[in-house]
Amino acid sequence: SAVISQKPSRDICQRGTSLTIQCQVDSQVTMMFWYRQQPGQSLTLIATANQGSEATYESGFVIDKFPISRPNLTFSTLTVSNMSPEDSSIYLCSVRTGGIATNEKLFFGSGTQLSVL
Amino acid sequence: DAKTTQPNSMESNEEEPVHLPCNHSTISGTDYIHWYRQLPSQGPEYVIHGLTSNVNNRMASLAIAEDRKSSTLILHRATLRDAAVYYCILLGGATNKLIFGTGTLLAVQP
């Protein structure tokens, strides 16, 4: 299993500013994922962050807007840059653990509730 | 990317069984079927997963169709604490991108 600490749990930000969300895992994991969940909606994958390589972004998400760091196997950050009210959402980090496919599971942080004024 | 489809919502009465269906007709032979649930104001949590055979754990049972194109999550006795959004996703093997469908919002009536 994996325990994920995600900070901050919520924030209210001004338009045009940036917020960095941190995700700390209690064990070393290769694959980490960042999701966005808009109110009442499902999770949308923003990017996959593997340690030692550039993050891979999904269609509709770009590095300039959502830069990601992955300095080691237990930590990652997602920055929401130059925020607008449309960025108001819940942001979640997730890890994939288990090694072999039989044992793989996903674990999620508790999320960051972002409101942009 | 392999996708899943689920009903948007379902209702159940407390103490009764609940069967939550999921279709995944484009599943590959090495994809595992995973179920997660998201309680209000929390991140999703693991429920159960399987490959071909039916699976049981303390939370639920997973029934997988013989052709693997569909599966059903079974909650044997729903409680009010089971009210959540339930997501069925495919993981592992050929599916590296973890794409969530709409999920099923389960309401449990007392």
Side-chain angles (χ1 to χ4, degrees):
Chain A
S1 68
V3 177
I4 301 174
S5 173
Q6 186 173 340
K7 292 190 281 190
S9 59
R10 61 177 62 240
D11 208 341
I12 300 172
C13 301
Q14 295 297 319
R15 181 194 300 259
T17 63
S18 298
L19 176 71
T20 295
I21 302 167
Q22 299 180 3
C23 188
Q24 178 76 52
V25 190
D26 70 343
S27 58
Q28 293 185 338
V29 293
T30 301
M31 302 181 77
M32 293 184 75
F33 307 92
W34 287 97
Y35 288 89
R36 181 173 73 183
Q37 187 172 31
Q38 294 179 310
Q41 303 295 312
S42 181
L43 285 75
T44 299
L45 182 63
I46 297 172
T48 301
N50 293 337
Q51 197 271 335
S53 62
E54 295 274 334
T56 304
Y57 289 83
E58 296 301 308
S59 176
F61 299 95
V62 295
I63 188 171
D64 289 345
K65 176 68 176 176
F66 297 100
I68 289 172
S69 78
R70 185 77 206 275
N72 57 52
L73 291 172
T74 64
F75 189 77
S76 179
T77 67
L78 170 77
T79 299
V80 186
S81 302
N82 189 25
M83 288 184 284
S84 67
E86 291 71 35
D87 295 319
S88 297
S89 191
I90 297 172
Y91 293 84
L92 295 136
C93 67
S94 173
V95 301
R96 186 168 164 175
T97 70
I100 60 173
T102 305
N103 299 328
E104 281 195 307
K105 295 176 185 175
L106 296 178
F107 293 89
F108 290 83
S110 54
T112 296
Q113 172 103 48
L114 171 62
S115 298
V116 184
L117 305 178
Chain B
D1 300 319
K3 293 183 179 178
T4 62
T5 56
Q6 301 173 252
N8 288 335
S9 63
M10 290 185 68
E11 272 195 17
S12 173
N13 294 319
E14 204 175 6
E15 302 295 316
E16 290 186 355
V18 182
H19 291 230
L20 299 167
C22 180
N23 288 319
H24 29 78
S25 58
T26 60
I27 190 171
S28 76
T30 53
D31 285 336
Y32 282 74
I33 301 158
H34 279 239
W35 284 81
Y36 292 81
R37 71 179 186 181
Q38 188 173 23
L39 301 169
S41 302
Q42 296 186 28
E45 64 176 359
Y46 170 81
V47 178
I48 199 167
H49 77 286
L51 183 64
T52 57
S53 303
N54 295 343
V55 184
N56 300 295
N57 66 20
R58 64 175 180 82
M59 290 181 71
S61 295
L62 176 59
I64 301 173
E66 195 169 336
D67 63 5
R68 298 202 338 118
K69 293 185 177 181
S70 65
S71 61
T72 302
L73 178 71
I74 302 166
L75 306 179
H76 295 286
R77 292 177 65 192
T79 70
L80 297 178
R81 287 190 299 256
D82 292 322
V85 178
Y86 288 79
Y87 295 100
C88 161
I89 66 170
L90 304 179
L91 188 63
T95 306
N96 284 317
K97 287 187 182 181
L98 305 170
I99 307 299
F100 280 73
T102 57
T104 297
L105 175 62
L106 175 65
V108 180
Q109 304 299 329

